[in-house]
């Protein structure tokens, strides 16, 4: 076919083919069909070398014009189609930001952990550090290192959850108190020592209103030169005022713990009635609330940890976290803490 006629024919059909392309993919196919190597235009381009020299400039000029015109039609259509496709993709991707979302209820820390944080903060304010120990503990740290020999009633197997784990001579048990952290810490740190050690503790107690087999304690230990019972009392009085209120009084009552001598129970004055209400629902009218065990660290405990009891002295205390929370909030059952009733938990956000 005459090359010029072929070009005119291609140009004539181009507009319709371009207009008929409905997607970017289709316009690419039209592009190849109109301008590609095997298109009519492509064949004219390839035949140029064989044309008569007189004919070549005319065909060449028209070839360029036709190519440019078809290219313009294609480019224009491609831009249109691309814009339409972009717009519809955006429309599909968009979402209505005013739509109500699914609200996940925000949780909060459990009251027990709030109390731990609060107590720890009070002691951090006095320069104490936080120490931790394992919940699966060696009998040595839980008892022996704390001046509690094999013959002591607290060691009776029936009172304690032993684990069938490791060397039987190690006697691994779920710790019955956080006190073993005292021994572990002293063993690996030089004096002076000022630590609090919060954590979970275990006993084979039957569940009742004030007992759970799994509960929490915070241990405190101070060892330094010249610490006295006065330091113990002053420290715990400060703690009681911070935790229960500035008017809180404390008293020490003689008691016994294997690892302290002398030992005492610390009572705090009733922060509700201060003893003025015989029917007080918090103290029952006695005016005092039993709060924690404490005492001056027994020299045997210092020695067992490698400390010199001749130059060092210290005091220690252990407080039940559930008890602190129950007293402060007037709770009547320790089971509230483990029932996972959100109506209970929500009150302490
Ligand atoms: N570990 C004791 C208990 O579980 C509490 C305690 C009493 C800890 C006196 C002490 C202490 O550090 O000095 O009953």
């Amino acid at each position: 076919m005459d090359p010029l006629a072929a070009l005119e024919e291609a140009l004539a059909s181009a507009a319709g083919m371009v207009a008929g392309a409905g997607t970017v993919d289709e316009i690419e196919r039209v592009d190849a069909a109109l301008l590609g190597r095997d298109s009519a235009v492509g064949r004219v381009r390839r035949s140029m070398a064989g044309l008569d020299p007189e004919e070549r400039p005319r065909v060449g000029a028209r070839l360029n014009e036709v190519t440019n015109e078809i290219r313009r039609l294609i480019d224009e259509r491609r831009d249109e189609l691309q814009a339409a496709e972009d717009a519809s993709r955006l429309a599909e991707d968009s979402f209505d930001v005013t739509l109500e979302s699914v609200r996940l209820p925000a949780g909060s820390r459990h009251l027990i952990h709030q109390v731990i944080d609060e107590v720890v903060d009070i002691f951090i304010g006095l320069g104490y550090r936080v120490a931790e120990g394992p919940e699966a503990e060696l009998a040595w740290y839980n008892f022996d290192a704390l001046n509690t020999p094999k013959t002591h009633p607290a060691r009776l197997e029936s009172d304690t959850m032993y684990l069938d784990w490791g060397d039987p001579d190690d006697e691994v048990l779920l710790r019955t108190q956080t006190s073993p952290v005292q021994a572990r810490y002293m063993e690996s740190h030089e004096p002076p020592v000022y630590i609090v050690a919060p954590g979970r503790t275990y006993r084979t107690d039957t569940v009742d209103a004030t007992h759970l087999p799994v509960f929490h304690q915070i241990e405190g230990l101070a060892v330094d030169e010249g610490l006295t019972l006065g330091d113990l009392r002053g420290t715990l009085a400060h703690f009681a005022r911070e935790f229960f209120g500035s008017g809180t009084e404390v008293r020490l009552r003689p008691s016994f713990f294997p690892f302290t001598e002398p030992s005492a129970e610390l009572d705090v004055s009733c922060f509700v009635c201060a003893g003025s209400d015989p029917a007080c629902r918090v103290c029952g009218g006695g005016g005092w609330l039993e709060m924690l065990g404490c005492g001056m660290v027994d020299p045997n405990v210092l020695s067992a940890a490698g400390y010199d009891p001749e130059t060092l002295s210290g005091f220690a205390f252990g407080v039940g976290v559930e008890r602190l929370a129950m007293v402060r909030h007037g709770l009547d059952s320790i089971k509230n803490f483990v029932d996972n009733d959100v109506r209970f938990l929500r009150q302490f956000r």
Side-chain angles (χ1 to χ4, degrees):
M1 192 198 264
D2 168 49
L4 284 173
L7 289 173
E8 298 316 323
E9 197 174 293
L11 182 57
S13 63
M17 285 171 70
V18 167
T23 66
V24 173
D25 279 353
E26 280 169 28
I27 197 71
E28 300 306 348
R29 284 196 288 277
V30 169
D31 189 337
L34 285 171
L35 298 177
R37 191 181 148 81
D38 290 328
S39 65
V41 173
R43 280 192 297 275
V44 172
R45 197 183 302 116
R46 276 187 287 141
S47 70
M48 287 291 290
L51 291 183
D52 289 345
E54 314 85 79
E55 209 182 357
R56 205 180 290 146
R58 270 197 314 125
V59 174
R62 189 58 188 149
L63 173 65
N64 283 342
E65 285 166 9
V66 168
T67 302
N68 288 341
E69 176 60 11
I70 295 176
R71 163 98 17 249
R72 194 184 59 76
L73 291 171
I74 289 172
D75 287 350
E76 218 174 77
R77 183 69 181 147
R78 185 190 287 110
D79 286 352
E80 250 171 57
L81 291 169
Q82 189 66 59
E85 283 183 16
D86 287 351
S88 80
R89 188 167 305 129
L90 273 179
E92 279 164 23
D93 277 1
S94 72
F95 57 92
D96 181 353
V97 291
T98 66
L99 213 59
E100 179 86 26
S101 63
V102 179
R103 270 172 218 266
L104 295 174
S108 59
R109 275 170 88 61
H110 192 282
L111 177 56
I112 290 301
H113 286 275
Q114 293 180 33
V115 169
I116 289 176
D117 287 351
E118 199 178 326
V119 174
V120 165
D121 277 352
I122 293 169
F123 282 95
I124 297 254
L126 293 174
Y128 283 58
R129 295 183 171 211
V130 178
E132 278 181 323
E135 289 174 26
E137 184 55 283
L138 302 179
W140 165 260
Y141 289 110
N142 197 77
F143 295 126
D144 301 77
L146 298 173
N147 202 32
T148 312
K150 271 245 153 41
T151 50
H152 196 281
R155 280 191 81 142
L156 285 181
E157 209 157 327
S158 59
D159 288 339
T160 305
M161 289 185 248
Y162 281 87
L163 302 178
D164 185 8
W165 195 84
D167 186 339
D169 288 343
D170 282 347
E171 295 184 279
V172 179
L173 66 144
L174 294 177
R175 64 180 178 189
T176 60
Q177 48 188 357
T178 44
S179 305
V181 182
Q182 291 186 22
R184 282 186 175 273
Y185 191 89
M186 283 192 277
E187 205 177 66
S188 55
H189 293 80
E190 294 294 318
V193 169
Y194 290 91
I195 55 160
V196 278
R200 211 176 280 142
T201 46
Y202 302 82
R203 290 182 197 175
T204 53
D205 288 341
T206 305
V207 176
D208 64 20
T210 54
H211 294 86
L212 288 174
V214 183
F215 57 106
H216 298 78
Q217 288 188 335
I218 302 171
E219 191 75 14
L221 174 69
V223 179
D224 207 337
E225 287 174 20
L227 289 180
T228 69
L229 197 64
D231 297 304
L232 164 64
R233 194 179 195 286
T235 302
L236 294 178
H238 170 78
F239 160 67
R241 285 192 298 268
E242 291 286 311
F243 191 81
F244 290 110
S246 54
T248 308
E249 304 281 336
V250 298
R251 74 174 182 191
L252 293 172
R253 265 185 302 113
S255 184
F256 173 80
F257 297 101
F259 31 89
T260 43
E261 182 59 34
S263 304
E265 302 280 345
L266 181 92
D267 294 343
V268 298
S269 59
C270 177
F271 57 94
V272 172
C273 78
S276 66
D277 177 3
C280 177
R281 78 185 159 81
V282 171
C283 69
W288 293 97
L289 301 161
E290 184 179 321
M291 220 53 261
L292 54 81
C294 57
M296 299 307 290
V297 180
D298 193 295
N300 288 342
V301 174
L302 296 175
S303 303
Y307 280 17
D308 177 10
E310 295 299 322
T311 55
L312 295 166
S313 62
F315 61 83
F317 56 91
V319 59
V321 180
E322 281 79 359
R323 168 120 186 107
L324 281 178
M326 286 175 75
V327 168
R328 175 149 85 182
H329 296 288
L331 306 174
D332 54 9
S333 172
I334 197 171
K335 288 182 242 176
N336 287 318
F337 296 122
V338 289
D339 279 345
N340 279 341
D341 184 335
V342 289
R343 291 168 304 180
F344 170 77
L345 299 170
R346 270 204 198 110
Q347 300 173 66
F348 306 105
R349 284 233 257 245

